[in-house]
Amino acid sequence: RSNSIPLIVQGSMVIGADGLNSLVRRHYITGNRDRDPQCWHGATHYRGVVENFPTFLDGSTMILAGGVKGVKAVVYPISNPKDGTQTINWVLAVEEDAISEDEGSYKDHILKLIREQGFNLGFLDVEDLISKTTEVMAWPMVDLDPLDTWTDSKIAIIGDAAHGMLPVGSGGAMAALLDAVALRAAFEEGLEAKASTNQILRDYESRRYKDASLHQGKCRKQPAENVVQEAMDKFPIGTDIPAEYDQRIRDIMAKIHNPQTFGSVEDLLILGVSKGIITKEQAEQLKSL
């Protein structure tokens, strides 16, 4: 931070968990220095939270409305129903070239887009939800191209710093936890084998690099949204969509995120952190942290 006092610390290694705009990656990982691997995808995510909003459907359903073109809404509750209301989180993905510097204009901007696109879900008034939002935030749809390496001598990066990905099913949060599992395993086995810190960090990278890079690519394809877009293009408004489309989305998400039903601790991991982006084996590893 610009107002921080410089601090010198001593240690045996550096783990850069400093996010998408990682300075550790930029300045200290050979092969990634002085270049920007960030990739802009021509869209903005507007987000907000509304308390005491009327419960919709069964009180636990996530809504994905819209495909890969125009405006897409993702809406889901983040609290249990109480007296017919809940706290609702929403995201609106908008195709656009830039984000306005005037934060006060965000709400009017996206409400206009919602009206133009004709969002009408019947059971959920998206326009009313956004209108009741106190603070609307905006983030560019940015991820990272796969890096040359995540490690350099006794320095390594982890999480979004290493493999920032598009927000598909909270994949980034889960990927960071799986990095932690791999880092722990690398150290446990490496220390037992009396490996050097350099070797241990390289082992961590080898355990995660391929899977995380493939996950980045899957998120870029937005496969579920493509199925929704296909249905929108094929069927007129008001038409019942054949059940096969629902099944295709379920199959796609199962291949990407491997949702499982677990016991109490695993349920907490899935619902609170990952929304189902792990296998049962991975959940067992995370539980032991």
Side-chain angles (χ1 to χ4, degrees):
R1 298 177 182 176
S2 59
N3 62 346
S4 296
I5 299 174
L7 178 66
I8 297 176
V9 297
Q10 292 183 335
S12 60
M13 63 181 176
V14 173
I15 302 294
D18 51 341
L20 195 73
N21 297 310
S22 172
L23 295 178
V24 175
R25 180 188 69 231
R26 181 175 300 178
H27 297 298
Y28 298 107
I29 304 294
T30 302
N32 304 312
R33 291 176 181 166
D34 302 319
R35 74 182 184 92
D36 187 1
Q38 294 189 23
C39 182
W40 159 253
H41 292 273
T44 304
H45 271 196
Y46 295 92
R47 307 182 67 105
V49 174
V50 180
E51 297 181 341
N52 302 315
F53 192 80
T55 296
F56 59 88
L57 298 179
D58 61 0
S60 61
T61 298
M62 186 190 82
I63 305 301
L64 167 60
V68 294
K69 303 175 184 176
V71 178
K72 176 185 72 177
V74 178
V75 184
Y76 52 90
I78 55 174
S79 72
N80 293 322
K82 183 178 181 180
D83 300 325
T85 66
Q86 288 178 273
T87 300
I88 306 297
N89 185 66
W90 61 266
V91 181
L92 207 69
V94 177
E95 285 187 316
E96 55 188 10
D97 295 328
I99 303 175
S100 172
E101 295 182 1
D102 180 10
E103 296 181 6
S105 69
Y106 291 168
K107 183 183 291 188
D108 288 340
H109 171 56
I110 58 179
L111 284 173
K112 178 183 177 182
L113 296 174
I114 283 286
R115 297 183 188 112
E116 290 176 350
Q117 186 147 326
F119 264 77
N120 181 13
L121 301 181
F123 57 84
L124 174 63
D125 190 335
V126 177
E127 183 176 338
D128 183 46
L129 178 67
I130 295 174
S131 296
K132 291 179 177 177
T133 303
T134 302
E135 180 183 9
V136 177
M137 299 168 285
W139 283 274
M141 280 278 280
V142 174
D143 67 358
L144 298 182
D145 290 328
L147 305 177
D148 295 335
T149 180
W150 298 355
T151 60
D152 191 337
S153 185
K154 296 180 180 181
I155 303 172
I157 48 179
I158 193 169
D160 281 350
H163 48 65
M165 58 188 69
L166 296 182
V168 176
S170 297
M174 195 65 256
L177 287 175
L178 295 176
D179 288 350
V181 171
L183 188 60
R184 170 180 168 167
F187 266 95
E188 286 180 338
E189 296 179 18
L191 291 175
E192 184 176 350
K194 301 187 183 306
S196 67
T197 301
N198 303 38
Q199 291 171 322
I200 291 172
L201 293 179
R202 289 292 294 175
D203 181 36
Y204 145 70
E205 178 179 3
S206 68
R207 290 167 184 261
R208 286 288 296 142
Y209 183 88
K210 181 179 178 180
D211 286 347
S213 297
L214 289 173
H215 197 172
Q216 286 176 293
K218 290 177 181 178
C219 289
R220 281 186 175 183
K221 290 182 178 180
Q222 300 186 68
E225 287 85 347
N226 275 288
V227 174
V228 173
Q229 187 66 54
E230 179 184 330
M232 292 173 64
D233 293 341
K234 187 173 183 179
F235 300 100
I237 295 177
T239 302
D240 289 337
I241 306 300
E244 66 182 79
Y245 285 85
D246 174 69
Q247 188 58 50
R248 284 173 59 190
I249 292 175
R250 291 176 184 272
D251 291 344
I252 286 169
M253 298 310 289
K255 292 179 181 178
I256 292 180
H257 301 316
N258 299 316
Q260 300 283 341
T261 301
F262 305 132
S264 58
V265 175
E266 294 88 339
D267 283 339
L268 177 63
L269 285 169
I270 293 174
L271 299 177
V273 181
S274 69
K275 295 198 287 292
I277 315 177
I278 53 175
T279 64
K280 187 171 183 177
E281 180 183 6
Q282 291 165 340
E284 289 295 333
Q285 290 179 301
L286 291 172
K287 186 173 67 172
S288 67
L289 287 176

